[in-house]
């Protein structure tokens, strides 16, 4: 029999609560009866869900994040800069210093972190053409930009805090979370908002996670990824992008780099266009 409690024992802090995913997740968790502390640098869009409070804070304001996390069972960390359209300094403040603030807050509160990582920590991998080439949980990081790089930093901050301080992490390598898939790439990367909400719920409620990683996709037969720690969470996706195949399989860009690499447009942005990447020939003569 499943002994897992249906509610977290203490409030849950949700960062990035005013963002596209944060607001949807706040609504789903409130509907499940959770007590939430919401935070974001921007005001919450619309009325606050029941049993939720909101306080504006910058992610790199460590005292504020520590105070917000006090007494929480978990931190659902969705906050941060979500792409490379911002300067390095902004990404460093929100995503690097921000991750440090989150993990210090988690350590002090004895809270688990559910970290919204991203497929863009792996976006420079080629898209697999055979099932056996799909990436598993042990795949090497190959970020496709500074944003993707900041996500692997966050994952490894979690690794550090588990190894040194026993702070648990579930890193969710989110693919593309939109109401419905919109192009051929998303036949592989899409996760429905409902699957993501169920995954976050399991990530908070699972009795024991240690440092776990889960590919955040629905049950897409064309997924780029297979093999992760989802069994520890007792989670399996219920939705799939496959029903959209007929309308989406030809919806591709004319950009060969975006079509070759997993990260799509993120990976081709600023790319020099030379693929496959090859080493220089060894120059003749003595070194
Ligand atoms: C992400 O990590 C982005 O935040 C989101 O805007 C999407 O572009 C998504 O990845 C994706 O790869 O589709």
């Amino acid at each position: 029999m499943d002994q897992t409690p249906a509610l977290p024992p203490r409030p849950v802090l949700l960062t990035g609560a005013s963002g596209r995913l944060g607001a949807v997740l706040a609504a789903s968790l409130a509907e499940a009866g959770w007590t939430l502390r919401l935070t974001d640098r921007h005001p919450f869009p619309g009325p606050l869900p029941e049993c939720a409070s909101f306080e504006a804070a910058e992610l790199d304001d460590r005292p504020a994040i520590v105070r917000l996390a006090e007494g929480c069972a978990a931190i659902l960390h969705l906050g941060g800069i979500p792409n490379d359209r911002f300067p390095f300094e902004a990404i460093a403040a929100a995503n690097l210093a921000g991750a440090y603030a989150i993990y210090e807050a988690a350590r002090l509160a004895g809270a688990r972190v559910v970290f919204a990582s991203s497929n863009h920590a792996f976006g420079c991998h080629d898209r697999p053409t055979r099932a056996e080439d799909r990436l598993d949980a042990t795949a090497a990081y190959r970020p496709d930009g500074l944003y993707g790089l900041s996500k692997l930093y966050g994952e490894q901050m979690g690794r550090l805090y588990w190894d040194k301080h026993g702070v648990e992490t579930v890193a969710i390598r989110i693919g593309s979370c939109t109401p419905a898939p919109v192009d051929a790439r998303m036949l592989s990367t899409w996760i429905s908002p409902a699957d993501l909400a169920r995954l976050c719920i399991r990530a908070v409620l699972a009795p024991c996670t240690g440092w776990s990683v889960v590919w955040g996709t629905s049950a897409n037969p064309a997924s780029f990824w297979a093999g992760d720690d989802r069994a520890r969470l007792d989670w399996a996706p219920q939705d799939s992008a496959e029903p959209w195949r007929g309308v989406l399989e030809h919806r591709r860009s004319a950009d060969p780099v975006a079509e070759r690499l997993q990260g799509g447009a993120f990976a081709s942005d600023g790319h020099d266009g030379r693929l496959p990447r090859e080493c220089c020939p060894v120059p003749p003569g003595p070194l």
Side-chain angles (χ1 to χ4, degrees):
M1 203 179 73
D2 184 9
Q3 300 289 317
T4 310
L7 292 174
R10 299 190 299 283
V12 168
L13 174 64
L14 173 65
T15 71
S18 307
R20 192 172 53 83
L21 295 187
V24 171
L25 204 57
S28 304
L29 300 178
E31 201 177 293
W34 290 23
T35 302
L36 299 172
R37 286 186 203 161
L38 309 177
T39 185
D40 199 295
R41 67 190 313 198
H42 300 294
F44 191 74
L48 278 184
E50 214 178 311
C51 298
S53 57
F54 177 86
E55 188 178 319
E58 296 291 337
L59 285 169
D60 61 348
D61 181 349
R62 200 157 12 116
I65 298 295
V66 166
R67 186 172 37 74
L68 277 162
E70 229 172 65
C72 284
I75 305 175
L76 267 167
H77 181 37
L78 266 64
I81 300 274
N83 54 50
D84 273 5
R85 287 196 292 269
F86 294 80
F88 170 76
E89 288 71 18
I91 295 175
N95 297 15
L96 307 187
Y100 178 52
I102 292 294
Y103 273 95
E104 272 299 284
R107 181 180 67 80
L108 294 166
R112 178 182 297 170
V113 178
V114 178
F115 175 57
S117 183
S118 170
N119 73 90
H120 295 291
F122 300 85
C124 277
H125 279 280
D126 277 347
R127 300 184 188 191
T129 49
R130 304 172 310 167
E132 55 269 38
D133 293 334
R134 289 177 298 178
L135 302 184
D136 68 14
T138 65
Y141 293 109
R142 290 181 73 173
D144 59 22
L146 294 176
Y147 161 66
L149 186 63
S150 76
K151 290 297 183 180
L152 79 86
Y153 179 90
E155 286 196 8
Q156 291 302 309
M157 179 78 76
R159 180 83 246 188
L160 170 67
Y161 270 70
W162 169 243
D163 286 340
K164 284 190 90 165
H165 307 296
V167 174
E168 290 189 310
T169 284
V170 179
I172 304 176
R173 296 169 174 173
I174 301 175
S176 311
C177 188
T178 49
V182 299
D183 58 21
R185 174 174 171 270
M186 285 199 198
L187 293 171
S188 305
T189 61
W190 185 65
I191 181 166
S192 68
D195 272 341
L196 182 63
R198 288 185 285 262
L199 173 52
C200 289
I201 288 172
R202 290 304 312 150
V204 170
L205 295 181
C208 176
T209 66
W211 181 82
S212 298
V213 296
V214 179
W215 298 103
T217 52
S218 284
N220 309 327
S223 178
F224 300 153
W225 313 300
D228 59 21
D229 299 318
R230 65 189 58 195
R232 297 180 87 170
L233 311 183
D234 193 20
W235 172 79
Q238 296 175 22
D239 299 320
S240 167
E242 203 53 20
W244 280 272
R245 176 166 292 283
V247 270
L248 296 181
E249 66 184 338
H250 300 298
R251 204 173 289 172
R252 295 176 192 277
S253 73
D255 178 339
V257 174
E259 293 304 316
R260 179 182 177 128
L261 299 179
Q262 296 194 1
F266 277 54
S268 73
D269 179 32
H271 197 285
D272 67 11
R274 273 178 288 194
L275 280 175
R277 182 74 59 203
E278 270 157 9
C279 296
C280 313
V282 180
L287 290 177

